[in-house]
Each structure stands twice: as C-alpha cells, then as structure tokens.
Amino acid sequence: MINEEIKKRLVLALDVEELDEAKKLVDELSPYIGTFKVGLQLFCGYGLEIVNYIKEKNADFFLDVKLHDIPNTVEKASYNVIKNGANFFNVHATGGIEMMKAAKKGAMQAAEKYNRKKPLVLAVTVLTSINQETLTNELSNSKNVEDFVIQLAKNAKLAGLDGVVASARELKAIKKELGNDFIVLTPGIRPSWSAKDDQARIATPKSAIEDGADYIVLGRAITKAENKIEAIKKIYEEIQGVNK
Ligand code: C5P
C-alpha cells in the first residue's frame, strides 16, 4: 500500500540526457512519486513532450525553470508555464518583489482561465553554488549568505509567493522566520546509504521532514540506485512515523 501522505511530499528530479530515459523513470516510479521535476536540461531538450507524458500518469509536474526577467516578461512566461500543465514552478527571488508578484499574477490568471488547481510558485533564494566569497567579492553583497537567504524568503512571502526552495541547512530558520505555512522544498537529500555526489549541504529524508520540509527532492539517490523501487521503499520506511 502506498502512503499518499508520503507520496505527495516526494519530488523526483528527472535530470537525464534523453527523453526515453525520463519516460522510463516516470513509468517505473509514478506509483511512488507525487511530483516530477523537469529542469532546464530536459526542458530545453524536449520541451512539452515530457510534460504531457507526466500528466498522462496523473502525477504533478514541477517546472524548475528559475525565471528571472522584467516583471512583464515573467508574468507572461508564468502564465504559459501554468497553461502548459505545470502545477508548480520557481523564480529567482533576486528578480525583486515586483517580479515575484508578476509571476504569481500570471500563474493565477492561467489557473483560472484553464481551470487548474491552485499553482504553487516558489522562490529560489541564493543558489547553493554561490558561497560567501562569491557573494561578497563577485556580487558585491556585504550580507552573510544565511541572512540574505532569509531576507529574500521574506520578500517572496511579501510578494505572495507560496514558498521557497532551500537547503536543509536553512530549513529551520526559514520555518521559524516565515511560519509553518510557508512551503519549503528541499533538495540535497541523501539517505544514509547513498552516495553524497557533489552535494555539500545534505540531509537525510527523515531529518529534512523532521526539520519541516514540505517537499523533498530526490535525485541521484534514486535514479542511480541499482534497484530504484527498493530505494524508494526504504525512503518510505524511513519517513513513516515522522510526525509533521
Ligand atoms: O541528484 P541530486 O539529489 O543531487 O539532485 C538534486 C536536484 O535538486 C537537482 O535537480 C538540482 O538541480 C536541484 N537543486 C539542488 N540544489 C539547489 C536547487 C536545486 O540540488 N539549491
């Protein structure tokens, strides 16, 4: 029996080269995964073909496009993202409050027009690839990274966005500052039995959920596992019983 409460929290990153590989993952894993995340790699390669495939399986679809442009352009792009079937997507909080408001406006308009469920618009605060040195020296920002993340998350909430993408390290602080209803989607998830790969700020599925993550992004821990279904089942077992 699939636990629907757990299923809904699991987001699988379809970070693969070929459309066929992505389709195979969707075929195999859609009984266990609530949302499939399509990033720029797959989207720029194959566009809406994969979207339609995901929709046919009745799974949710997260378009990880990290929009960042002038408000008018972002509003129109957001409209099209929802029109074309995404349930949620993201924008860069560094695009500013007006831009984030425009994203939400475009998304809501499309949802209403096409009778879609309420879209979730998330903000990316500071990319995990940006460290303190880059922020200070390259981007001339004197704030420390953690404070900047919180400030951008506050801006996202002010703009009416639904939540943020944040690493496990920032999870507790964001929930504390922004409240429990403000959604946090957490990548960098590594069960204790899987390889760390190139991720620096990692957490196990259990600790991320315990610390308040609403969604956890599973990538290579599943897609590179010898037995993907067994790997997911282990994650289900691990999360089961966490009170949230
Ligand atoms: O394979 P892995 O679990 O590392 O995949 C993590 C996914 O989450 C990738 O799609 C990656 O782009 C995304 N992500 C991330 N760190 C962020 C934002 C997104 O790893 N800060």
Side-chain angles (χ1 to χ4, degrees):
M1 264 299 274
I2 299 297
N3 179 329
E4 293 295 328
E5 270 305 303
I6 295 179
K7 178 177 174 179
K8 139 176 132 192
R9 291 174 184 280
L10 303 185
V11 178
L12 189 90
L14 290 173
D15 296 329
V16 291
E17 296 281 330
E18 300 298 333
L19 184 62
D20 281 350
E21 278 178 82
K23 285 182 169 176
K24 225 172 123 198
L25 285 170
V26 174
D27 281 338
E28 194 178 3
L29 303 178
S30 55
Y32 307 92
I33 295 288
T35 302
F36 289 93
K37 177 171 96 61
V38 172
L40 288 172
Q41 178 186 3
L42 201 58
F43 192 65
C44 292
Y46 300 99
L48 293 175
E49 238 183 294
I50 185 65
V51 177
N52 296 331
Y53 203 75
I54 292 168
K55 301 310 290 179
E56 277 168 27
K57 303 280 173 192
N58 260 336
D60 281 343
F61 163 46
F62 173 21
L63 192 57
D64 185 5
V65 274
K66 302 184 183 72
L67 300 177
H68 190 168
D69 209 317
I70 58 170
N72 182 60
T73 304
V74 167
E75 181 183 328
K76 302 288 189 292
S78 302
Y79 184 95
N80 281 340
V81 165
I82 298 301
K83 175 184 169 192
N84 285 320
N87 304 91
F88 51 114
F89 69 99
N90 50 12
V91 301
H92 272 287
T94 44
I97 293 174
E98 283 313 308
M99 189 209 76
M100 289 190 275
K101 279 185 181 168
K104 182 78 184 192
K105 184 175 166 202
M108 293 303 280
Q109 279 175 348
E112 199 170 309
K113 170 109 196 255
Y114 296 96
N115 212 9
R116 300 276 153 72
K117 67 180 182 189
K118 181 181 171 268
L120 296 181
V121 188
L122 305 182
V124 173
T125 56
V126 180
L127 290 171
T128 38
S129 49
I130 305 279
N131 59 19
Q132 188 64 57
E133 196 194 332
T134 313
L135 188 70
T136 310
N137 299 337
E138 226 176 272
L139 303 176
S140 300
N141 185 324
S142 56
K143 274 192 172 292
N144 82 44
V145 174
E146 285 75 22
D147 292 344
F148 194 35
V149 165
I150 297 293
Q151 185 194 328
L152 291 169
K154 284 181 176 167
N155 289 352
K157 190 169 181 178
L158 211 61
L161 295 205
D162 302 282
V164 289
V165 179
S167 82
R169 186 190 288 181
E170 294 132 12
L171 243 173
K172 274 187 176 164
I174 289 174
K175 285 286 179 180
K176 185 167 165 257
E177 295 278 343
L178 281 299
N180 239 345
D181 293 344
F182 195 62
I183 291 170
V184 180
L185 176 140
T186 303
I189 298 296
R190 290 291 180 278
S192 50
W193 40 264
S194 78
K196 191 171 166 225
D197 304 306
D198 53 355
Q199 292 282 17
R201 307 201 309 245
I202 57 171
T204 65
K206 184 165 185 252
S207 68
I209 299 276
E210 276 171 347
D211 287 350
D214 299 279
Y215 296 93
I216 56 173
V217 179
L218 304 170
R220 286 162 287 181
I222 299 297
T223 57
K224 300 274 182 247
E226 222 160 272
N227 186 332
K228 299 179 187 46
I229 308 268
E230 278 310 308
I232 291 199
K233 283 186 175 162
K234 274 203 246 175
I235 291 177
Y236 266 73
E237 276 166 30
E238 189 181 323
I239 301 175
Q240 206 116 33
V242 175
N243 277 330
K244 227 221 115 193

